[in-house]
């Protein structure tokens, strides 16, 4: 059996964001066929396991809106999956029993959290679109949180009854600051005094002056002999 036609609308605006779309068409007794779209353009004949884990099915965080429109032949097919950011998935006439799994996610090369996911199925009453149930893949589940609707309502009523009061500006607190004397490093080695030439007084040894011996008195000159009288 030939597969029904499924393709991304080639007339859509180029995708510029980190949005990723994987569409897989299934028919009982036939192998699956997947197509993929990201900012690099569409890809045909890809493996679903290259984009979605076969062991841990991604959790669903509904961020992007997806809808299905029928009877729009001018887009090339009777059914259109309207995707975010002007993207469209064109579906041909689906035989009864055929399903198209459309998964969207962002930011990751391999889907870890779906931003949305829908299953388009061809039934005897026409096309139906719904949220698919987890398949055979093992999905880690968090513990169920008990929620009491009455208690939630009471809490909301209490929150609504609290009047809005203008918040007073915070007054800065000035803390007392104690100052400690500066840290002085004390060395165990004896401090060497630096010599300052201007402060050094040269000490000269005391000079002892010896007295010279008194000079001896010069001998008195002898009187010259008187000349003899000549007669």
């Amino acid at each position: 059996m030939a597969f029904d036609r499924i393709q991304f609308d080639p007339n859509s605006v180029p995708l510029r964001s980190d949005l990723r779309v994987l569409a897989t068409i299934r028919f009982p007794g036939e192998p699956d066929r997947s197509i993929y779209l990201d900012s690099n353009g569409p890809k045909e004949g890809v493996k679903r396991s290259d984009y979605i884990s076969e062991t841990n099915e991604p959790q669903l965080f509904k961020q992007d809106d997806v809808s299905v429109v029928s009877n729009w032949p001018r887009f090339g097919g009777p059914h259109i999956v309207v995707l975010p950011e002007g993207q469209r998935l064109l579906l041909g006439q689906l035989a009864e029993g055929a399903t198209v799994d459309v998964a969207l996610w962002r930011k990751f090369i391999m889907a870890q959290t779906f931003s949305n996911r829908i299953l388009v199925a061809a039934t005897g009453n026409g096309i139906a679109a719904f949220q698919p149930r987890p398949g055979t893949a093992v999905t880690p589940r968090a513990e169920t949180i008990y929620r009491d609707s009455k208690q939630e309502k009471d809490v909301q009523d209490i929150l609504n009854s609290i009047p809005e009061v203008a918040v007073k500006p915070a007054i800065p607190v000035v803390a007392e600051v104690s100052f400690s004397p500066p840290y002085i490093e004390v060395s165990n080695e004896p401090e060497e005094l630096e010599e300052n030439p201007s402060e050094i007084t040269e000490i000269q040894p005391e000079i002892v002056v010896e007295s010279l011996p008194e000079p001896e008195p010069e001998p008195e000159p002898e009187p010259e002999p008187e000349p003899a009288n000549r007669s």
Side-chain angles (χ1 to χ4, degrees):
M1 173 184 173
F3 265 119
D4 299 305
R5 186 160 55 92
I6 172 176
Q7 67 174 357
F8 293 106
D9 187 359
N11 297 320
S12 298
V13 296
L15 184 61
R16 301 296 185 187
S17 69
D18 61 349
L19 178 68
R20 291 162 171 83
V21 183
L22 182 67
T24 302
I25 183 170
R26 300 185 178 95
F27 189 82
E30 298 288 340
D32 297 349
R33 174 172 169 256
S34 297
I35 60 176
Y36 172 76
L37 175 68
D38 61 10
S39 59
N40 295 321
K43 293 181 182 180
E44 300 280 344
V46 299
K47 292 182 179 180
R48 185 178 178 86
S49 59
D50 291 341
Y51 300 95
I52 297 178
S53 174
E54 295 180 341
T55 56
N56 294 328
E57 186 162 334
Q59 300 295 314
L60 178 63
F61 176 72
K62 192 171 182 181
Q63 175 181 353
D64 297 297
D65 292 330
V66 180
S67 60
V68 179
V69 181
S70 299
N71 299 323
W72 282 44
R74 69 187 182 93
F75 284 102
H79 309 293
I80 300 172
V81 180
V82 182
L83 303 170
E85 303 180 25
Q87 306 303 311
R88 291 181 292 268
L89 177 65
L90 307 180
L91 306 180
Q93 186 67 42
L94 299 178
E96 186 176 348
T99 59
V100 180
D101 189 337
V102 184
L104 291 77
W105 68 95
R106 293 179 181 270
K107 297 182 181 179
F108 301 100
I109 296 176
M110 175 172 282
Q112 298 184 19
T113 301
F114 288 138
S115 62
N116 205 339
R117 185 185 177 198
I118 65 168
L119 192 65
V120 180
T123 67
N125 297 325
I127 294 295
F130 53 90
Q131 195 78 41
R133 294 181 179 180
T136 57
V138 178
T139 303
R141 299 291 182 182
E143 295 182 2
T144 304
I145 301 176
Y146 174 76
R147 303 181 66 177
D148 188 338
S149 58
K150 182 179 182 302
Q151 185 180 18
E152 290 181 356
K153 182 178 181 302
D154 293 342
V155 172
Q156 190 61 41
D157 291 341
I158 294 173
L159 293 176
N160 293 337
S161 65
I162 299 176
E164 295 183 0
V165 180
V167 179
K168 296 181 179 179
I171 301 175
V173 179
V174 180
E176 295 182 358
V177 180
S178 59
F179 294 93
S180 58
Y183 172 76
I184 302 175
E185 184 178 357
V186 179
S187 175
N188 294 329
E189 297 181 359
E191 183 178 0
E192 296 181 0
L193 296 176
E194 296 182 359
E195 296 183 357
N196 191 344
S198 62
E199 296 180 359
I200 296 177
T201 304
E202 186 177 357
I203 301 177
Q204 300 291 342
E206 184 178 357
I207 300 175
V208 178
V209 180
E210 297 181 357
S211 59
L212 296 177
E214 295 182 0
E216 295 180 0
E218 296 181 359
E220 296 181 357
E222 294 181 359
E224 296 181 359
E226 293 180 358
N229 294 326
R230 292 178 182 180
S231 18

